[in-house]
């Protein structure tokens, strides 16, 4: 986890354009050994941005047919706040099954994990990793990588917001990557011991990150800091 995240952070620090971010999405696909990685966001005015590894023909088909209206991933994740495994979504309708078949023919994986992101000023985004694999293989992969992918989703969304100079979205506070990691894990329900172990740091160092983030956010306590970070779109839950 640590090496992959450090590689991601290093790449994002050097990203100066949406084209750079698109390149990072392709690198993430290979880094996390999945078939596709997709990031898609919509701001409150309806303006959309996407960086993904799907083939162009499928993207064009998806847009032309307005498949977002029936896509169980989009519809299901919009109602949720936590990571969503595609197998837990409702694919029972004929339209959804036909859509799934067409997506599979286009190379979209039969397994997927999507992270809903609610950013500042009404922004909504989805970060997804998907693959073609068996249920058992995907369950093992998802269990091992879900924490990592949640943090990746945050970093990608934050970089997209920073690059999107044409909107009124701005960061309300500047948290360091480690402060973001710490609050994100606590927001996911990790104990301090679990969070420090996941980040390979001592609990004392973890407390330093918590207090630093709390000060920057003007929070009264840790719970308040997590809540404010979520409200400002600084972390993903």
């Amino acid at each position: 986890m640590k090496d992959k995240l450090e590689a991601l952070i290093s790449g994002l620090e050097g990203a100066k354009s949406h084209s750079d971010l698109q390149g990072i999405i392709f690198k993430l696909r290979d880094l996390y050994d999945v078939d596709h990685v997709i990031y898609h966001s919509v701001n409150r005015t309806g303006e959309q941005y996407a960086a993904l590894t799907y083939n162009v023909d499928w993207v064009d088909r998806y847009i032309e047919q307005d498949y977002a209206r029936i896509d169980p991933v989009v519809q299901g994740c919009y109602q949720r706040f936590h990571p969503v495994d595609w197998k837990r979504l409702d694919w029972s309708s004929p339209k959804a099954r036909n859509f799934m078949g067409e997506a599979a023919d286009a190379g979209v994986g039969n397994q997927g994990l999507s992270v809903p992101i609610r950013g500042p000023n009404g922004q909504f985004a989805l970060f997804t990793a998907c693959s073609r694999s068996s249920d058992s293989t995907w369950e093992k992969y998802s269990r091992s990588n879900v924490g990592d992918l949640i943090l990746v989703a945050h970093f990608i969304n934050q970089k997209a917001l920073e690059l999107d100079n044409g909107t009124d979205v701005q960061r309300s506070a500047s948290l360091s990557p480690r402060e973001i990691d710490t609050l994100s894990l606590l927001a996911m329900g990790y104990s301090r011991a679990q969070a420090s172990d996941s980040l390979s740091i001592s609990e004392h160092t973890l407390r330093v990150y918590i207090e630093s983030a709390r000060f920057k956010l003007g929070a009264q306590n840790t719970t308040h800091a997590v809540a404010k970070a979520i409200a400002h779109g600084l972390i993903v839950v």
Side-chain angles (χ1 to χ4, degrees), residues 72-210:
V73 175
V74 173
Q75 298 302 317
C77 287
Y78 191 73
Q79 303 171 34
R80 292 170 168 82
F81 291 85
H82 298 289
V84 177
D85 189 300
W86 288 5
K87 289 295 184 184
R88 294 182 172 84
L89 296 170
D90 183 6
W91 298 87
S92 62
S93 74
K95 287 184 178 180
R97 289 197 298 270
N98 289 337
F99 166 76
M100 180 169 57
E102 190 171 346
D105 290 342
V108 177
N110 63 314
Q111 309 281 0
L113 182 73
S114 295
V115 180
I117 306 165
R118 285 167 175 78
N121 300 317
Q123 184 228 19
F124 177 76
L126 273 180
F127 177 84
T128 295
C130 68
S131 277
R132 287 165 288 187
S133 64
S134 67
D135 288 352
S136 59
T137 298
W138 182 254
E139 182 179 358
K140 182 178 179 180
Y141 176 88
S142 179
R143 188 167 55 247
S144 299
N145 290 278
V146 62
D148 220 2
L149 292 174
I150 289 173
L151 294 176
V152 168
H154 165 79
F155 287 126
I156 293 295
N157 190 59
Q158 189 60 59
K159 175 54 69 171
L161 291 175
E162 291 174 2
L163 293 173
D164 195 7
N165 294 322
T167 72
D168 58 0
V169 175
Q170 296 180 345
R171 296 180 69 169
S172 59
S174 179
L175 299 182
S176 73
R178 274 308 198 198
E179 290 163 357
I180 290 169
D181 290 350
T182 297
L183 293 186
S184 295
L185 291 173
L186 294 176
M188 291 163 54
Y190 281 52
S191 67
R192 293 196 179 199
Q194 291 171 326
S196 60
D197 182 63
S198 179
L199 296 172
S200 300
I201 59 177
S202 68
E203 286 193 52
H204 172 74
T205 301
L206 187 83
R207 285 196 297 272
V208 171
Y209 290 134
I210 292 172

Side-chain angles (χ1 to χ4, degrees), residues 13-25:
E13 286 176 347
K16 304 299 182 184
S17 67
H18 287 103
S19 179
D20 291 340
L21 188 56
Q22 175 66 49
I24 290 172
I25 290 293

Side-chain angles (χ1 to χ4, degrees), residues 19 31 40 45 65 119 135 153 158 230 236:
S19 179
L31 190 64
H40 178 244
T45 66
Q65 297 298 314
D135 288 352
Q158 189 60 59
I230 292 172
V236 177

Side-chain angles (χ1 to χ4, degrees), residues 60-78:
D60 289 343
R61 173 72 174 170
Y62 190 99
I63 294 172
E64 289 170 1
Q65 297 298 314
D66 195 17
Y67 277 150
R69 294 182 298 103
I70 62 171
D71 185 345
V73 175
V74 173
Q75 298 302 317
C77 287
Y78 191 73

